[in-house]
Amino acid sequence: MAMELRNIGIAAHIDAGKTTVSERILYFTGVNCKLGETHDGQSTMDFMKQEQERGITIASAAITCTWNNHQINLIDTPGHVDFTVEVERSLRVIDGMIAVFCAVGGVEPQSETVWNQAERYRVPRIAFVNKMDRTGANFSEVVMQMNKYLDANALSLQVPMGAEDSFVGVIDIVRNIAYTFADGKRFENPIPAEYAAQVEEARTFMIEKLADGDNEIMEMYFDGKEIPEEKLKKAIREQTLKLLITPVFCGAAYKNIGIQLLLDAVVDYLPSPVDVGSVIGTDLHDSEKTHSRKPFDSEKFSALAFKLINDPYVGQQTFIRIFSGKLTSGMSVYNSSKRKPERIGRIFRIKAKERQEITEAGAGEIVALVGMKYTKTGDTLCDQEFPLYLESIHIPEPVIQLKIQPANQKDKDKLSEALGRLVNEDPSFHAKYNEETEETVISGMGELHLEIMVDRLRTEFKVPVEVGEPAVAFRETITMPVETMYKHVKQTGGHGQYAHTIMRMEPNPGKGYEFVDVVKGGNIPGEYIPSVDKGVCNIMERGILSGFPVVDVKVTLLDGSYHPVDSSDMAFQLCAELCFKSGFMRASPILLEPVMKIEVNTPDDYIGDVVGNLNRRRGKIEAMRRYRKGSQKIVGLVPLMEMFGYATQLRNITSGRANYSMEFYQYMEMPMNIQTEVLKKLNEKKG
């Protein structure tokens, strides 16, 4: 079964038409009887109200369909950088990817982000150049950009017949057949005479490229022999799976041109779970030791939970990718991430918002489970007798935050429950209630991300909320080492409180928080060491300078003392908090701000204005390159706090002709004059 299975993702820059491509795939595989469009809010994959209103994909939707006796599990992913975690978690569980490019836009900023994410997970790809019917479509230019900007080693397996209004079909250079399309059907034709020379040139180039990695093809080519179609397909498949080439196809999804050939390519050239091979997991008790699981039903069970969705009809759905073994409803599995057993309730194959209940699922499958108690995104499920821990999913840190409160105080609990569900669903979304200020702060990956979440609170969870201004999620850290001591003594009637700690604090750039205990001679008993660690973590989370979390600090507990009666877990937690706080203020504390990587595509006429505007926003231009004729791509770094309202301003200074993409790069030190200003404003708000 696993050989006839394809787990594929569709990813691209926003607006390249990947959801339309997905819709056509569902239509031609018989899942849909009619065509849904993103622009009229009728798409199957974009079934959330927020997706239909905006015509964009937000949540990656998993769907099962069949083509040429192969089961295809298709995951449609968002193109907007605010939802990059959706792409990330999809790439963790798919085996192959269709990268969709717009024939007019070419390689756009988010295409590069998605491509690099796929590189990190070593996912084999095929490319589909969509919108060949649009004015300005240029197939060979897109292939050239793929090689230049993505280092894709792109190999065209088709020659388009015409472009823009005159685009009528494609020529398959592997089979030497021309295809035209009408009424949802494809028709085979001989190659028109006017394309003969172009096809011959493209075919020769393809064979030479394949010969580089295949000695048999090289010999046949030099001997002037005709290379059979099956031999070419085998070589293309092998080299695609090894990431040596990226086969490129083209079409116009909206006009139903090229989709059946793309489905053929998914079956012919993208990997099955068997091609991908064994999954490697870590031993639960020894991180140096690993275990492998082959993608067969006969192996011990292992799976990764990669997504949670709240369904109004069946409740919480947990999407999992089964890497090995067989899953049946009613069986018990072990959640090695939470170290708890889970019982499998109902198992579903998902067709976007439709569900098909099944009693078992095998290796390689992607299914949804209902009734899971503990399992969250990134958790490993496995056989209790043979546990292992699979590599989790990289979750980026949120960089922007928003204060919200229920419009009616009676909805306080309802809001808390709704936020809990959203946090479960989306690990890049955080929600925190501040007891002192009685405020709820939500944080996420960008303005659109938070806008969607607020919208979902109002419409899906029926909680009217009032929203403050978006604010940047800063971090605090120290820049010099200090030693600090604090003695916590409190006498009340009965038992008092006693704790005494001496610690060294030092900067730990890029390495997060580290806690080291070097206390000798039991001056602080072993049972209170974790209390010190916990106290430090508590104060770091709350922040000291401005209420933002403290990061990148190494704390070494040097010494201290205790009282046999008055010392307690709570006394040492409080002592550690106050000790850390006093040291922090002497260690030249600073604010760190999120810095974004920005890419702006602008016509040449506006380059000076765009660069000047970015410089005024404390931006640092790193590179400028030719984007396409008459346009430049500007790449740089810019602090997030300077970027509010940028979309409107960019539209104004370029008459709406430029576009931009922005993603989190890293936290960096804030200039002291700006820090002073920021702290002053933050204190005024508190005051």
Side-chain angles (χ1 to χ4, degrees):
M1 172 61 194
M3 281 299 291
E4 279 73 52
L5 194 56
R6 299 288 182 272
N7 291 315
I8 64 163
I10 297 196
H13 183 87
I14 192 166
D15 230 18
K18 67 195 167 308
T19 299
T20 307
V21 171
S22 304
E23 290 299 321
R24 295 311 186 262
I25 286 175
L26 300 186
Y27 176 70
F28 288 115
T29 54
V31 173
N32 282 357
C33 301
K34 70 180 187 66
L35 294 167
E37 308 296 353
T38 48
H39 61 260
D40 61 14
Q42 295 299 309
S43 113
T44 305
M45 301 297 274
D46 289 348
F47 55 88
M48 283 167 61
K49 177 179 176 287
Q50 291 76 14
E51 296 178 312
Q52 291 172 355
E53 283 172 356
R54 291 168 175 79
I56 61 170
T57 304
I58 296 160
S60 52
I63 201 159
T64 301
C65 54
T66 308
W67 183 257
N68 285 357
N69 299 319
H70 284 68
Q71 181 184 314
I72 298 173
N73 291 322
L74 175 69
I75 296 183
D76 183 30
T77 57
H80 197 287
V81 284
D82 281 15
F83 307 102
T84 187
V85 72
E86 290 287 339
V87 182
E88 193 77 33
R89 58 177 161 194
S90 302
L91 285 167
R92 179 67 185 84
V93 296
I94 60 177
D95 301 325
M97 188 172 98
I98 301 172
V100 180
F101 297 92
C102 172
V104 183
V107 174
E108 295 175 277
Q110 185 64 6
S111 325
E112 293 191 47
T113 305
V114 170
W115 194 271
N116 293 336
Q117 285 174 307
E119 281 287 311
R120 187 160 72 235
Y121 288 110
R122 307 227 15 104
V123 176
R125 277 142 278 172
I126 60 176
F128 182 70
V129 179
N130 190 27
K131 303 191 180 184
M132 283 296 298
D133 56 326
R134 290 270 295 274
T135 305
N138 188 331
F139 179 68
S140 54
E141 170 71 15
V142 178
V143 174
M144 184 275 290
Q145 287 184 18
M146 284 177 68
N147 286 326
K148 187 175 175 185
Y149 303 139
L150 306 177
D151 199 18
N153 211 359
L155 179 61
S156 308
L157 299 188
Q158 292 176 343
V159 167
M161 290 198 284
E164 304 180 344
D165 291 345
S166 62
F167 179 62
V168 291
V170 297
I171 298 165
D172 180 338
I173 62 173
V174 176
R175 301 183 66 199
N176 266 335
I177 294 173
Y179 289 94
T180 52
F181 301 82
D183 302 322
K185 295 187 180 74
R186 58 174 159 173
F187 301 95
E188 295 188 4
N189 306 280
I191 295 169
E194 66 265 33
Y195 290 105
Q198 193 182 343
V199 169
E200 188 55 40
E201 186 187 333
R203 189 175 162 86
T204 303
F205 179 79
M206 172 187 74
I207 291 169
E208 286 174 354
K209 180 85 97 168
L210 293 174
D212 288 345
D214 191 304
N215 291 335
E216 204 179 327
I217 288 182
M218 186 177 281
E219 283 171 25
M220 291 175 81
Y221 176 57
F222 284 136
D223 292 344
K225 291 179 184 171
E226 184 59 37
I227 301 163
E229 179 192 323
E230 288 314 308
K231 180 73 200 144
L232 288 172
K233 279 187 170 180
K234 185 171 177 277
I236 294 165
R237 179 179 182 78
E238 284 173 358
Q239 294 186 34
T240 303
L241 300 193
K242 290 176 182 169
L243 306 185
L244 297 174
I245 59 168
T246 305
V248 187
F249 305 86
C250 65
Y254 183 57
K255 290 190 175 167
N256 303 321
I257 298 177
I259 299 298
Q260 297 101 317
L261 299 174
L262 181 64
L263 280 162
D264 289 344
V266 166
V267 169
D268 290 341
Y269 305 130
L270 286 180
S272 72
V274 175
D275 294 318
V276 174
S278 302
V279 66
I280 307 295
T282 311
D283 189 272
L284 254 60
H285 309 294
D286 180 359
S287 59
E288 298 297 309
K289 203 170 157 190
T290 60
H291 303 283
S292 72
R293 296 276 187 275
K294 290 176 183 163
F296 300 121
D297 291 2
S298 53
E299 276 273 351
K300 300 298 175 198
F301 178 73
S302 69
L304 184 78
F306 69 97
K307 185 175 175 63
L308 270 65
I309 287 183
N310 275 298
D311 186 288
Y313 303 106
V314 295
Q316 186 174 281
Q317 292 179 159
T318 306
F319 282 81
I320 65 163
R321 158 72 193 262
I322 303 171
F323 286 100
S324 63
K326 192 179 256 191
L327 187 70
T328 54
S329 48
M331 79 185 263
S332 287
V333 296
Y334 186 59
N335 181 329
S336 56
S337 310
K338 299 282 190 297
R339 309 284 170 113
K340 288 185 174 177
E342 282 268 29
R343 188 174 169 77
I344 302 300
R346 300 162 77 193
I347 308 172
F348 291 101
R349 271 205 192 101
I350 302 297
K351 300 192 169 177
K353 52 188 168 182
E354 303 297 320
R355 300 171 286 283
Q356 173 196 350
E357 188 161 359
I358 54 176
T359 53
E360 61 177 39
E365 292 215 53
I366 290 176
V367 291
L369 308 178
V370 172
M372 303 299 276
K373 279 187 181 171
Y374 310 110
T375 305
K376 301 280 183 283
T377 295
D379 285 2
T380 299
L381 297 175
C382 57
D383 187 307
Q384 189 140 11
E385 301 300 310
F386 299 90
L388 81 169
Y389 181 72
L390 300 175
E391 182 196 344
S392 192
I393 291 163
H394 169 70
I395 308 295
E397 277 289 303
V399 294
I400 187 166
Q401 56 188 40
L402 203 58
K403 286 177 184 164
I404 61 167
Q405 61 181 50
N408 307 312
Q409 278 309 303
K410 63 178 172 40
D411 287 334
K412 206 169 165 185
D413 292 342
K414 207 171 162 189
L415 174 65
S416 172
E417 188 189 328
L419 286 172
R421 284 198 191 175
L422 290 174
V423 167
N424 264 350
E425 265 187 42
D426 182 350
S428 65
F429 174 69
H430 294 201
K432 196 168 68 176
Y433 181 71
N434 188 323
E435 295 283 350
E436 289 172 29
T437 59
E438 294 188 345
E439 287 176 329
T440 299
V441 177
I442 58 172
S443 44
M445 300 308 299
E447 287 180 87
L448 180 64
H449 189 195
L450 295 185
E451 186 190 314
I452 298 283
M453 290 305 192
V454 168
D455 205 5
R456 286 186 68 191
L457 284 171
R458 288 170 176 154
T459 55
E460 205 175 305
F461 296 97
K462 306 285 184 284
V463 183
V465 287
E466 291 170 356
V467 179
E469 287 292 307
V472 175
F474 298 112
R475 296 287 182 267
E476 304 177 7
T477 193
I478 57 173
T479 53
M480 58 181 273
V482 293
E483 272 193 25
T484 175
M485 183 277 289
Y486 191 81
K487 195 175 273 188
H488 177 65
V489 185
K490 205 169 184 184
Q491 207 56 52
T492 53
H495 282 320
Q497 285 183 23
Y498 181 91
H500 171 214
T501 55
I502 301 169
M503 57 177 77
R504 182 169 65 246
M505 299 162 56
E506 52 198 305
N508 202 22
K511 292 180 186 166
Y513 166 62
E514 269 183 72
F515 179 79
V516 181
D517 162 36
V518 296
V519 175
K520 299 275 193 307
N523 287 352
I524 299 177
E527 76 237 47
Y528 296 136
I529 302 295
S531 309
V532 176
D533 186 11
K534 195 173 174 188
V536 171
C537 287
N538 287 343
I539 189 78
M540 282 179 70
E541 201 176 311
R542 291 203 304 273
I544 297 163
L545 263 188
S546 54
F548 292 102
V550 177
V551 295
D552 295 345
V553 176
K554 182 178 178 181
V555 171
T556 307
L557 184 60
L558 302 170
D559 205 354
S561 60
Y562 78 107
H563 187 281
V565 177
D566 291 350
S567 286
S568 64
D569 164 53
M570 190 47 72
F572 270 99
Q573 276 194 50
L574 280 169
C575 179
E577 282 191 26
L578 295 163
C579 186
F580 184 90
K581 191 173 181 178
S582 70
F584 183 86
M585 295 312 289
R586 291 187 288 110
S588 299
I590 56 162
L591 280 185
L592 299 174
E593 60 178 340
V595 171
M596 314 299 279
K597 181 184 176 192
I598 188 169
E599 295 191 358
V600 185
N601 299 327
T602 175
D604 292 345
D605 300 354
Y606 305 106
I607 285 170
D609 292 338
V610 171
V611 170
N613 185 266
L614 283 173
N615 286 339
R616 283 192 292 281
R617 293 172 182 268
R618 292 196 284 130
K620 185 174 152 208
I621 307 301
E622 295 209 307
M624 286 169 69
R625 65 182 191 221
R626 176 70 49 206
Y627 172 50
R628 52 176 179 258
K629 198 176 175 192
S631 288
Q632 296 264 11
K633 177 179 285 208
I634 299 164
V635 182
L637 300 175
V638 61
L640 176 64
M641 69 176 289
E642 306 290 351
M643 293 306 286
F644 293 113
Y646 182 65
T648 310
Q649 203 164 23
L650 182 66
R651 237 187 345 260
N652 291 342
I653 60 180
T654 64
S655 307
R657 290 176 62 199
N659 61 54
Y660 80 103
S661 166
M662 195 166 70
E663 62 179 314
F664 175 63
Y665 176 65
Q666 68 181 58
Y667 273 93
M668 295 171 90
E669 190 174 325
M670 185 188 286
M672 197 46 73
N673 59 327
I674 290 168
Q675 176 176 311
T676 308
E677 220 173 282
V678 167
L679 287 173
K680 189 179 166 193
K681 279 182 188 165
L682 288 168
N683 290 329
E684 278 169 8
K685 277 184 189 172
K686 279 183 196 170

